[in-house]
Amino acid sequence: MTTFDVNAILSSTAYGSDGDKIGKVEQVFLDDNSGEPTFLTVNTGLFGAKENFVPVKGARQDGDRVVLPYTKDVIKDAPKVDADQHLSPAEEEELYRYYELNYEDGRTAGTDRDRTTAAAGTAGTAGVAGTAAADRDVADRDRAAVDQDRRDVAATAGDDASVVRHEERLNVGTQEREAGHARLRKYVVTDHETVDVPVEREEVTVERTPINDTNARVDNGTIGEEEVDVTLHEERPVVQKEAVAVEEVRLNKQTVQETQRVEADVRKEQVDVETDVDRGDLGRGDLGRDGEAPRR
């Protein structure tokens, strides 16, 4: 970009080489000696609080768009340089080195900001650029503290006006493990049993029967001793033991269900919104005509 409409540049939107929108063009920096534009700044931060420097070399105008020869990620990661002050040769060299440009082929003198002159549509000279920057020093100094706070917030919050809130959740499941063993073991115990057994036995009774003519026995009529032997019988209990099968015992497994309670501590993030007014850091210059804080 050797020549361009500065008015159009300051009211345009910057796009990356891949076509992604980057942000609004905020300022144009002019060479102290030649007055030619060398850098422009693009708003890439939250609430306009972050500006990144991009070399003008290789950029082109496309209506109300400025197409830069770098992607948005490359521009966002550029070295942090204060956009409210004069660029030193060391800062220029750092920027050229980051964008892989030859510093010797670029500017060898310092580069100063000239937003006012650029807005008027003139490239300006080193003296005009320095005067314009000096005229704004007083106002810029009053806002420096507030702007720094905003830049810090933007750097902390990132380039998007959002944060990702996280929380922990309990993922409860079950895990099978060995709980023990069950064994089937057979052993011998002795019980004492008592059984009543009916038995029979023979006893001797004496029966006397008179003898008459009807039942007369043949007897020699001799008196003498005589002995008669009678055998008596009786029953006695006899005990015999035998082993018999009475039942079969088997081990089976079955699943029963129960409920157990688990407890654990989980963490989660909360989000609070804090503005400059809440912190009490809003300067007088940020108040509206009615003394109220401007709405954003």
Side-chain angles (χ1 to χ4, degrees), residues 2-287:
T2 56
T3 60
F4 59 86
D5 185 348
V6 178
N7 263 335
I9 286 293
L10 288 175
S11 60
S12 62
T13 301
Y15 287 81
S17 59
D18 54 1
D20 287 347
K21 179 180 177 181
I22 301 176
K24 182 177 178 296
V25 176
E26 294 289 343
Q27 305 180 66
V28 176
F29 279 67
L30 309 178
D31 184 87
D32 285 348
N33 295 331
S34 66
E36 295 296 328
T38 55
F39 289 97
L40 56 83
T41 64
V42 182
N43 173 16
T44 61
L46 184 66
F47 303 129
K50 184 177 181 181
E51 297 179 33
N52 288 83
F53 279 81
V54 186
V56 172
K57 183 177 181 180
R60 61 182 175 86
Q61 282 185 265
D62 183 10
D64 60 348
R65 298 157 50 111
V66 174
V67 181
L68 302 174
Y70 309 100
T71 63
K72 182 177 181 179
D73 291 337
V74 171
I75 295 174
K76 286 169 58 178
D77 293 337
K80 184 178 180 182
V81 178
D82 193 346
D84 292 330
Q85 66 182 14
H86 182 274
L87 286 181
S88 67
E91 291 172 328
E92 286 188 54
E93 185 176 5
E94 182 182 10
L95 289 170
Y96 276 115
R97 185 182 304 110
Y98 173 78
Y99 286 104
E100 298 182 351
L101 297 176
N102 189 346
Y103 177 65
E104 297 301 328
D105 295 338
R107 301 294 179 260
T108 56
T111 302
D112 208 347
R113 180 183 61 141
D114 187 12
R115 181 187 304 195
T116 304
T117 303
T122 62
T125 63
V128 176
T131 302
D135 290 340
R136 298 184 56 86
D137 282 346
V138 176
D140 290 342
R141 191 177 303 112
D142 293 337
R143 297 178 55 87
V146 175
D147 289 344
Q148 183 61 44
D149 288 341
R150 290 175 179 171
R151 283 193 293 272
D152 293 341
V153 172
T156 302
D159 294 324
D160 298 324
S162 64
V163 296
V164 179
R165 190 180 69 84
H166 302 83
E167 66 179 20
E168 295 178 334
R169 294 183 179 177
L170 286 182
N171 295 324
V172 180
T174 60
Q175 180 181 19
E176 185 174 334
R177 65 171 187 171
E178 184 177 293
H181 295 271
R183 297 179 179 86
L184 190 62
R185 184 170 61 89
K186 188 171 68 171
Y187 59 96
V188 177
V189 296
T190 301
D191 292 334
H192 184 76
E193 295 184 358
T194 300
V195 180
D196 293 332
V197 180
V199 294
E200 294 180 350
R201 61 185 177 84
E202 295 175 341
E203 293 182 349
V204 175
T205 61
V206 178
E207 180 182 355
R208 298 177 184 274
T209 304
I211 297 176
N212 52 33
D213 295 338
T214 304
N215 57 0
R217 293 178 56 188
V218 177
D219 184 73
N220 54 15
T222 302
I223 297 176
E225 294 181 358
E226 184 178 356
E227 183 178 316
V228 178
D229 185 12
V230 178
T231 302
L232 301 177
H233 298 85
E234 68 177 2
E235 295 178 338
R236 291 183 178 179
V238 177
V239 178
Q240 293 181 340
K241 295 184 288 185
E242 63 174 336
V244 296
V246 293
E247 66 177 352
E248 182 181 6
V249 181
R250 182 190 303 273
L251 280 182
N252 293 322
K253 294 192 300 183
Q254 63 178 358
T255 301
V256 296
Q257 191 174 49
E258 62 181 8
T259 301
Q260 295 183 357
R261 177 173 297 175
V262 296
E263 297 181 359
D265 295 330
V266 295
R267 301 177 302 165
K268 61 181 179 180
E269 300 170 343
Q270 299 290 353
V271 177
D272 291 333
V273 178
E274 183 184 64
T275 65
D276 295 339
V277 177
D278 297 329
R279 296 199 310 269
D281 293 339
L282 192 64
R284 186 65 186 176
D286 293 318
L287 300 180

